[in-house]
Amino acid sequence: MIGEYSVEEDFLNSALNAEGSFIKTEDVIAWVEQENARISVSVNQVRFKEMNSWNFTNNMFNLKHESNGFFSIDGINVSTNFGGIDSWDQPIINQPEIGYLGFITKKFNGVLHFLVQAKIEPGNINYVQLSPTIQATKSNYTKLHKGSVPKYLEYFRDRKKPKILLDQLQSEQGARFLRKRNRNIIIELFEEIKVYDEFVWLTLGQIKTLMRENNLVNMDTRTVISGIKYGSEHTVRKDIMEYIKYHDNRELLRSAIAEKGALNSTRNIIAWITELKCRYTLNVTRKAVNSLEYWLLNDYEIKHETGGYFKVIATEVEISNREVSKWMQPLIQPAQEGLIAFVVKKINGLLHFLVQAKVECGNFDVLELAPTVQCLTGNYQNSATGSLPYLDTVLMAPKEQILLDNLQSEEGGRFYREQNRNMIVMVDESFNEVLPPNYSWMTLNQLHTFLVYNNYLNIQSRSLIASIPLL
Amino acid sequence: MIGEYSVEEDFLNSALNAEGSFIKTEDVIAWVEQENARISVSVNQVRFKEMNSWNFTNNMFNLKHESNGFFSIDGINVSTNFGGIDSWDQPIINQPEIGYLGFITKKFNGVLHFLVQAKIEPGNINYVQLSPTIQATKSNYTKLHKGSVPKYLEYFRDRKKPKILLDQLQSEQGARFLRKRNRNIIIELFEEIKVYDEFVWLTLGQIKTLMRENNLVNMDTRTVISGIKYGSEHTVRKDIMEYIKYHDNRELLRSAIAEKGALNSTRNIIAWITELKCRYTLNVTRKAVNSLEYWLLNDYEIKHETGGYFKVIATEVEISNREVSKWMQPLIQPAQEGLIAFVVKKINGLLHFLVQAKVECGNFDVLELAPTVQCLTGNYQNSATGSLPYLDTVLMAPKEQILLDNLQSEEGGRFYREQNRNMIVMVDESFNEVLPPNYSWMTLNQLHTFLVYNNYLNIQSRSLIASIPLL
């Protein structure tokens, strides 16, 4: 177990290093801006029938690539007893293959550094965002796209050489992806490694600092980072524990490593999840894309009659960098900005997160643990007061109680300029409501504990957890 | 967290009590024999078309009950890259509803006692076996069978009153059930409760002692008991730790509560599971029951051409007890006895279990952790030497290295006289083989840790873990 302690200590140490051995944090922002200036990206909407290699199947159940690779847009009917609507139709992204989202790490001056890539995605706001060392679908790494193999892939494929610090299956957006999971990996190398132009070494502290910026650290980075555990009280180095004791503002870090003091035992949380998984039903059946109720399929897009939720658009993408790449693909375009937020409160002297068990149509196992407020596609800014639990608590929080507030992008390879407001809001002890049955208080350490097992925390929770500053 | 410690201590204390406050352990055996003598059970094979209320659907995809409740027998095609066979057809039990398997417990003289039922199931060897306080499918408790509501159901439905000690979703046999899960619950009552004739209060130590007998403690009891955690070194009462220290033969108990000394960290085990879940594929598609390759459907049964594996039989059941009940249902009849066994070895002074990651067609998430050897339906007694990893190690183990060896039944409501040999075999330090990629060493404490999350340990592993004597 000595090995285990040291991995967690290495992660924590990296998170507590505000600067690393290479590029300065403030220079990373300038570097990404410069990368952005060097390139041009155009995304033009085209007709579905103009999209090379993409076709609707004869039964209209799927819009898919002729290679059967990448992903398809499928029609589904959803029925559930969760929430206000019993049954609805929608298009959904179906991508059964498991992709890699992986970081290479290496110690410099005793501190773990992450090899971060400035990566262009057509749907990104800012185009270039900081992404993991590798982002590869199976179609990528089996060369289905006839292009080159992703850089650094060989380090992930040969598992004997590197030390594996983290390797987890994690879900994607359950409202948009049908049971999609990615493999989140962090490996540590001990050998020399070539660093290509668009890559830099950053500490975890630097990455977390950069997450304070809008739309700079991409979703794939955030999901991988979220899986990191920072140990627990009795494993953390003494000097760090002393440091926490004398710094009252280290309450998020304390909650991350707390072993005792949780309001609800982990056993009770499992019992609560079991009860809800038995209570709520979720049935998803296939349906033709052109027969989805309230959805319109025209030459250019699949959209909801109200203009709400999201659209599936056919696009032609052109990226000019060192060389020109050009391809066609469907993208998902949201109707408006969403909001995800955790409400946190000090209970028994320890920060607790208000977690929501949420059924989403693409979930692998009925429900996952979501943030207190998650309205990705709803028009929350105009919503009636009190329509969504705790929405007002979040939106009306006084400035000094806002621990985190920024805009973060969804994955730019599938989503067109989709950004969501990410918030963490502290409430005081007078916040003492009776929770709805699908809400519960958990410490950050408990959230981390569930996170390492499959399909417990949804990607919105993980995005927020990744952003939590420990410095 | 004080609450958590005390639940685990209560369980451990109950497991260490060889006798309880009521019936003696040896008298339980006599009592069950006596119950058995009082009743008569007949199971007669009939024609499928004679089975009232059970019909094949027009497309022949299912044999189902006209209420759409209970379960159905479906045809499936399975394809996988795990194991030696790429693709096969088989019938499978489909029962999407989640049932209750629940124990009521209560403290007498400070020791937790379990309310155990002597329950008749038509498929049981011995007919009467010791079962949980309640075994209820949704069809049962929504009164689909038009009979009476199961005894004690009200205590499980009103979650506000009892203290919930355990509440987990656990899988059924992946080779026989399609993604079936049951809800395993243990609750504690503090009030007076009526004890009906066929119920007795037993300590966990008594239940575990009774598991040494063949076919006496039923599968449902074993799966619920398996989910119990006994705490860890730093939570266990001091006097118990002292007791363990001075008793070398408490090695299984030591492994159950060990926090340190594991060969593989939990983080590495998760990485190993992730790698295997990505490596192995599992595709299950529906198929008509009368078009399953190598399976024959005749008037009486669905059977494999070779006579191997299992048969689906149509039966008429008659049970005469205080009153006569009579009904018809399909049952699964195995072709022969199976074997499930854990190989255990002392590593770093601590007992480790050799665990197999196994893909089975009905698994919810590709693979689950299975015992070292699991050949439920194979004819292991005549198998060629070395055909199955570690089969010889188990079958040829010298007597003094066999920690457990008995016959246990599968669930008698679905399986007709199916029993499997349950074994735990110790190997010495000279056993030092390179493991196949889907095998790994884990401590009992690690197995317990994974067990409490959904769908990690299969029912065969859990059956063996439940049987482990801690006394």
Side-chain angles (χ1 to χ4, degrees):
Chain A
M1 298 290 261
I2 289 166
E4 186 157 30
Y5 294 173
S6 68
V7 169
E8 295 183 345
E9 282 181 344
D10 284 346
F11 279 134
L12 183 53
N13 191 31
S14 183
L16 297 177
N17 269 270
E19 291 292 345
S21 304
F22 301 91
I23 186 170
K24 274 192 186 165
T25 309
E26 61 181 55
D27 293 342
V28 175
I29 301 170
W31 173 64
V32 172
E33 274 172 11
Q34 187 186 321
E35 287 284 305
N36 248 322
R38 286 203 307 120
I39 59 153
S40 85
V41 176
S42 72
V43 178
N44 297 311
Q45 213 173 332
V46 297
R47 290 188 168 83
F48 282 117
K49 65 179 171 196
E50 292 172 308
M51 272 205 302
N52 298 336
S53 313
W54 288 87
N55 301 297
F56 287 100
T57 52
N58 286 336
N59 62 11
M60 290 300 289
F61 273 46
N62 332 86
L63 169 63
K64 60 188 241 186
H65 193 262
E66 60 188 17
S67 66
N68 286 321
F70 304 104
F71 61 95
S72 63
I73 303 291
D74 297 0
I76 57 170
N77 172 265
V78 183
S79 65
T80 177
N81 60 359
F82 178 92
I85 304 166
D86 291 348
S87 174
W88 71 89
D89 290 349
Q90 69 165 81
I92 198 161
I93 307 170
N94 187 4
Q95 188 174 2
E97 56 186 38
I98 297 173
Y100 279 115
L101 307 177
F103 272 112
I104 288 175
T105 66
K106 189 169 151 67
K107 270 184 206 151
F108 298 96
N109 301 319
V111 179
L112 211 56
H113 285 64
F114 290 65
L115 190 56
V116 175
Q117 181 185 182
K119 190 175 193 315
I120 308 162
E121 295 278 10
N124 279 351
I125 293 173
N126 292 342
Y127 303 126
V128 176
Q129 293 193 9
L130 298 174
S131 76
T133 318
I134 193 168
Q135 275 176 223
T137 62
K138 202 164 188 172
S139 301
N140 280 146
Y141 61 75
T142 57
K143 294 194 191 180
L144 202 60
H145 67 336
K146 292 165 193 155
S148 54
V149 168
K151 288 187 182 99
Y152 302 112
L153 178 64
E154 65 275 19
Y155 293 97
F156 293 91
R157 303 209 78 176
D158 176 5
R159 287 171 73 85
K160 278 168 202 153
K161 269 164 46 186
K163 181 174 171 191
I164 294 158
L165 306 188
L166 179 150
D167 192 354
Q168 304 167 349
L169 280 180
Q170 297 292 359
S171 57
E172 295 287 313
Q173 292 87 328
R176 304 290 183 77
F177 281 99
L178 189 61
R179 300 177 168 213
K180 169 93 179 94
R181 299 197 291 190
N182 279 316
R183 186 169 177 178
N184 291 224
I185 318 187
I186 302 177
I187 59 176
E188 182 180 357
L189 295 186
F190 302 92
E191 64 206 79
E192 286 297 310
I193 177 176
K194 179 177 167 61
V195 176
Y196 291 93
D197 276 354
E198 64 275 29
F199 290 80
V200 288
W201 290 110
L202 300 177
T203 66
L204 202 43
Q206 288 184 292
I207 297 171
K208 280 178 170 286
T209 303
L210 291 163
M211 281 184 203
R212 290 180 205 157
E213 304 295 316
N214 293 339
N215 300 306
L216 179 59
V217 176
N218 85 348
M219 179 56 107
D220 295 336
T221 299
R222 301 195 313 274
T223 172
V224 179
I225 297 298
S226 74
I228 293 173
K229 284 195 76 169
Y230 297 98
S232 57
E233 281 157 342
H234 81 275
T235 68
V236 165
R237 275 176 9 208
K238 275 200 181 133
D239 56 331
I240 293 175
M241 283 307 291
E242 288 300 315
Y243 171 82
I244 293 171
K245 267 184 205 152
Y246 291 101
H247 290 77
D248 267 357
N249 58 342
R250 295 298 171 272
E251 287 177 353
L252 284 162
L253 179 54
R254 274 187 60 219
S255 184
I257 62 171
E259 276 181 290
K260 295 180 184 174
L263 182 67
N264 302 299
S265 68
T266 301
R267 201 189 56 248
N268 283 343
I269 294 167
I270 290 173
W272 169 71
I273 294 171
T274 301
E275 161 69 12
L276 296 175
K277 281 190 178 176
C278 293
R279 180 187 303 179
Y280 296 126
T281 56
L282 175 64
N283 284 301
V284 175
T285 52
R286 302 310 181 103
K287 204 166 169 178
V289 175
N290 61 349
S291 71
L292 301 174
E293 200 180 14
Y294 304 126
W295 290 84
L296 305 170
L297 167 63
N298 64 30
D299 285 351
Y300 291 89
E301 53 199 23
I302 308 169
K303 63 176 181 186
H304 197 262
E305 281 182 11
T306 60
Y309 307 103
F310 60 89
K311 294 194 288 191
V312 178
I313 57 175
T315 69
E316 182 185 48
V317 178
E318 186 175 325
I319 295 182
S320 308
N321 194 357
R322 291 168 197 84
E323 53 197 87
V324 178
S325 346
K326 206 167 170 176
W327 71 89
M328 311 246 195
Q329 70 165 90
L331 282 170
I332 306 291
Q333 182 177 5
Q336 65 273 311
E337 189 189 300
L339 170 70
I340 60 175
F342 268 123
V343 166
V344 300
K345 182 186 167 188
K346 221 172 186 179
I347 301 173
N348 305 334
L350 195 63
L351 276 192
H352 281 67
F353 287 64
L354 186 51
V355 177
Q356 175 190 182
K358 190 170 170 62
V359 176
E360 294 188 276
C361 61
N363 281 353
F364 190 81
D365 189 8
V366 189
L367 60 83
E368 294 188 7
L369 304 180
T372 320
V373 174
Q374 178 185 322
C375 43
L376 268 187
T377 49
N379 193 358
Y380 73 89
Q381 286 165 320
N382 299 321
S383 73
T385 303
S387 62
L388 202 64
Y390 310 113
L391 179 59
D392 290 345
T393 310
V394 170
L395 292 179
M396 293 173 183
K399 212 170 176 184
E400 66 277 11
Q401 293 197 289
I402 297 174
L403 305 185
L404 186 98
D405 187 4
N406 52 42
L407 295 168
Q408 299 294 354
S409 299
E410 298 298 306
E411 216 266 299
R414 299 287 173 270
F415 300 104
Y416 185 65
R417 301 197 178 172
E418 172 153 18
Q419 65 178 359
N420 292 298
R421 190 171 173 195
N422 281 227
M423 296 180 78
I424 299 180
V425 166
M426 176 100 114
V427 292
D428 59 34
E429 288 173 35
S430 68
F431 179 93
N432 214 351
E433 304 182 35
V434 174
L435 304 181
N438 62 319
Y439 287 74
S440 186
W441 291 107
M442 294 171 68
T443 65
L444 190 48
N445 189 265
Q446 289 180 316
L447 282 168
H448 277 301
T449 300
F450 280 94
L451 208 161
V452 302
Y453 297 92
N454 293 165
N455 295 95
Y456 275 96
L457 265 69
N458 78 356
I459 198 166
Q460 288 83 10
S461 290
R462 301 198 318 272
S463 173
L464 285 169
I465 287 172
S467 306
I468 289 173
L470 298 179
L471 264 166
Chain B
M1 297 288 264
I2 290 165
E4 184 156 33
Y5 295 171
S6 66
V7 169
E8 295 184 344
E9 282 182 344
D10 283 347
F11 278 135
L12 183 53
N13 191 31
S14 183
L16 296 177
N17 269 270
E19 292 292 345
S21 303
F22 301 91
I23 186 170
K24 274 192 184 166
T25 309
E26 61 181 55
D27 293 340
V28 176
I29 300 170
W31 173 65
V32 172
E33 273 171 11
Q34 187 187 319
E35 287 285 304
N36 247 322
R38 284 201 310 117
I39 60 151
S40 87
V41 177
S42 73
V43 178
N44 297 312
Q45 214 173 331
V46 297
R47 288 187 169 82
F48 282 117
K49 65 180 172 197
E50 292 172 309
M51 272 205 303
N52 299 337
S53 312
W54 287 87
N55 300 296
F56 287 101
T57 51
N58 287 336
N59 62 11
M60 291 299 287
F61 274 43
N62 332 87
L63 168 64
K64 62 187 242 185
H65 192 263
E66 62 187 17
S67 66
N68 286 322
F70 305 103
F71 61 96
S72 64
I73 303 290
D74 296 0
I76 57 170
N77 172 265
V78 184
S79 65
T80 177
N81 60 359
F82 178 91
I85 303 166
D86 292 346
S87 174
W88 70 89
D89 289 351
Q90 68 165 82
I92 198 160
I93 307 169
N94 187 3
Q95 188 174 2
E97 57 186 38
I98 296 173
Y100 278 115
L101 307 176
F103 273 112
I104 288 176
T105 66
K106 190 171 150 67
K107 268 184 209 154
F108 298 97
N109 301 317
V111 179
L112 211 57
H113 285 64
F114 290 65
L115 191 55
V116 175
Q117 180 184 185
K119 190 174 194 314
I120 307 162
E121 294 278 10
N124 279 352
I125 293 172
N126 291 343
Y127 302 126
V128 177
Q129 293 193 11
L130 299 174
S131 76
T133 318
I134 192 166
Q135 277 175 221
T137 62
K138 201 163 187 174
S139 301
N140 279 146
Y141 62 74
T142 56
K143 294 194 190 180
L144 202 61
H145 68 335
K146 292 164 192 157
S148 55
V149 169
K151 289 187 182 98
Y152 302 113
L153 177 64
E154 65 275 21
Y155 294 96
F156 294 91
R157 302 210 78 175
D158 177 5
R159 288 171 73 87
K160 278 167 205 156
K161 269 163 48 185
K163 180 173 170 190
I164 294 157
L165 307 188
L166 178 150
D167 192 354
Q168 303 166 350
L169 280 181
Q170 297 292 358
S171 57
E172 295 285 313
Q173 292 87 329
R176 304 290 183 76
F177 281 99
L178 190 61
R179 299 176 169 216
K180 169 96 178 95
R181 298 196 291 190
N182 279 315
R183 186 169 176 179
N184 291 225
I185 317 189
I186 303 176
I187 59 175
E188 182 179 358
L189 296 185
F190 302 92
E191 63 205 79
E192 286 297 310
I193 177 175
K194 179 177 166 64
V195 176
Y196 292 93
D197 277 353
E198 66 275 29
F199 289 79
V200 290
W201 290 110
L202 300 177
T203 66
L204 202 44
Q206 289 184 291
I207 296 172
K208 280 180 171 283
T209 303
L210 292 163
M211 281 186 204
R212 290 179 204 156
E213 305 294 314
N214 294 337
N215 299 307
L216 179 60
V217 177
N218 84 350
M219 179 56 107
D220 294 335
T221 299
R222 301 196 313 275
T223 173
V224 180
I225 296 298
S226 74
I228 294 172
K229 284 195 77 170
Y230 298 99
S232 56
E233 282 157 341
H234 82 274
T235 67
V236 165
R237 277 179 4 213
K238 274 202 182 133
D239 55 331
I240 292 175
M241 281 308 292
E242 287 300 314
Y243 171 82
I244 292 171
K245 267 186 204 151
Y246 291 100
H247 290 77
D248 266 357
N249 58 343
R250 294 297 171 272
E251 286 176 353
L252 283 162
L253 180 53
R254 275 189 56 220
S255 184
I257 62 172
E259 275 180 291
K260 295 181 185 175
L263 181 68
N264 302 299
S265 69
T266 300
R267 201 189 57 247
N268 283 343
I269 293 167
I270 290 173
W272 169 70
I273 293 171
T274 302
E275 160 70 12
L276 296 175
K277 281 189 178 175
C278 293
R279 181 187 302 181
Y280 297 126
T281 56
L282 174 64
N283 283 300
V284 175
T285 51
R286 302 311 183 102
K287 205 167 168 177
V289 174
N290 62 349
S291 71
L292 301 174
E293 200 180 14
Y294 305 125
W295 291 82
L296 304 170
L297 168 64
N298 64 31
D299 284 354
Y300 290 90
E301 54 199 22
I302 308 169
K303 64 177 182 184
H304 198 260
E305 281 183 11
T306 59
Y309 307 104
F310 60 88
K311 295 194 287 193
V312 179
I313 57 176
T315 69
E316 182 186 50
V317 177
E318 187 174 325
I319 295 182
S320 309
N321 194 358
R322 292 166 196 84
E323 50 196 86
V324 178
S325 346
K326 206 168 169 174
W327 71 89
M328 310 243 194
Q329 71 165 89
L331 283 170
I332 305 291
Q333 182 178 5
Q336 65 273 311
E337 188 188 301
L339 170 70
I340 60 173
F342 267 123
V343 166
V344 300
K345 182 186 165 186
K346 222 174 183 174
I347 301 174
N348 306 334
L350 196 62
L351 277 192
H352 282 67
F353 288 64
L354 186 51
V355 177
Q356 176 191 180
K358 191 171 168 62
V359 176
E360 295 187 275
C361 62
N363 282 354
F364 189 80
D365 189 8
V366 189
L367 59 84
E368 294 188 5
L369 303 180
T372 321
V373 174
Q374 179 185 322
C375 42
L376 267 188
T377 49
N379 193 356
Y380 72 89
Q381 285 165 322
N382 301 320
S383 73
T385 304
S387 62
L388 204 63
Y390 310 112
L391 180 59
D392 291 346
T393 308
V394 171
L395 292 179
M396 293 173 183
K399 214 171 175 179
E400 67 277 10
Q401 294 197 289
I402 297 174
L403 305 185
L404 186 97
D405 186 4
N406 52 44
L407 295 169
Q408 299 294 355
S409 299
E410 298 299 306
E411 216 266 299
R414 298 289 173 270
F415 300 104
Y416 184 65
R417 303 198 176 170
E418 172 152 20
Q419 64 177 0
N420 292 299
R421 191 171 172 195
N422 280 229
M423 296 180 78
I424 298 180
V425 167
M426 175 101 111
V427 291
D428 58 33
E429 288 174 36
S430 68
F431 180 91
N432 213 350
E433 304 181 36
V434 174
L435 304 181
N438 62 318
Y439 287 75
S440 186
W441 291 107
M442 294 171 68
T443 66
L444 190 47
N445 189 268
Q446 288 180 317
L447 283 168
H448 278 301
T449 300
F450 279 94
L451 209 161
V452 302
Y453 297 92
N454 291 165
N455 295 94
Y456 275 97
L457 265 69
N458 78 356
I459 198 168
Q460 288 83 11
S461 289
R462 301 199 317 271
S463 173
L464 284 169
I465 287 172
S467 305
I468 289 173
L470 298 180
L471 267 166

